[in-house]
């Protein structure tokens, strides 16, 4: 039998490599940052599209803290989509984008 060393992240997830564990914990930190900022601006969860329209200070702070640009696309017929695009020199862009996508997924209303 072979002994294997595993690394446990803050959320209990196990990793074979320390660097993977560390990256996951950085991702968790970004998720916490988004949640902390969100709690400053609203007391209850809102639908994703409402967040961009009704909570501009939240959106602007996330963009500033994460070094993102806000992308607004007007599709016509009262249909506008919003997203974040990391700036070219954004550090940990993939982890930050993944954290935002996790937050975004929670705020889509089920159909």
């Amino acid at each position: 039998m072979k002994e294997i060393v595993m690394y446990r992240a803050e959320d209990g997830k196990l990793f074979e490599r320390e660097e993977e564990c560390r990256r996951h914990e950085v991702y968790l930190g970004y998720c916490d940052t988004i949640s902390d900022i969100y709690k400053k601006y609203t007391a209850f969860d809102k639908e994703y599209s409402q967040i961009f329209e009704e909570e501009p200070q939240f959106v602007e702070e996330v963009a500033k803290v994460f070094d993102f640009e806000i992308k607004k696309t007007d599709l016509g017929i009262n249909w506008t989509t919003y997203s974040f695009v990391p700036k070219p020199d954004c550090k940990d862009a993939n982890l930050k984008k993944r954290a935002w996508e996790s937050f975004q997924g929670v705020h889509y209303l089920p159909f």
Side-chain angles (χ1 to χ4, degrees):
M1 185 178 295
K2 183 178 179 183
E3 184 178 335
I4 299 174
V5 175
M6 300 293 286
Y7 298 90
R8 183 183 308 267
E10 295 170 4
D11 64 349
K13 191 170 180 178
L14 296 173
F15 295 88
E16 290 183 17
R17 294 189 198 120
E18 186 177 4
E19 66 188 38
E20 291 172 334
C21 185
R22 207 173 300 127
R23 282 184 60 79
H24 182 71
E25 287 184 341
V26 169
Y27 157 77
L28 293 175
Y30 291 141
C31 290
D32 289 345
T33 299
I34 293 171
S35 293
D36 292 344
I37 295 170
Y38 191 62
K39 289 174 190 172
K40 286 174 35 180
Y41 294 102
T42 187
F44 59 93
D45 284 345
K46 295 184 179 186
E47 182 184 350
Y48 183 68
S49 62
Q50 289 177 311
I51 291 169
F52 277 91
E53 294 168 6
E54 298 175 11
E55 301 297 339
Q57 297 98 344
F58 163 71
V59 173
E60 289 171 14
E61 187 170 340
V62 170
K64 182 180 177 184
V65 169
F66 277 30
D67 208 19
F68 285 165
E69 293 177 336
I70 302 166
K71 181 180 177 187
K72 179 179 177 181
T73 306
D74 187 6
L75 301 173
I77 312 171
N78 295 329
W79 188 277
T80 303
T81 63
Y82 301 91
S83 62
F84 283 125
V85 177
K87 292 181 181 176
D89 57 344
C90 179
K91 180 184 176 202
D92 293 334
N94 289 336
L95 294 176
K96 290 176 182 176
K97 193 159 174 87
R98 197 172 116 211
W100 177 257
E101 289 167 354
S102 177
F103 172 84
Q104 170 183 323
V106 171
H107 293 274
Y108 274 126
L109 291 180
F111 293 101

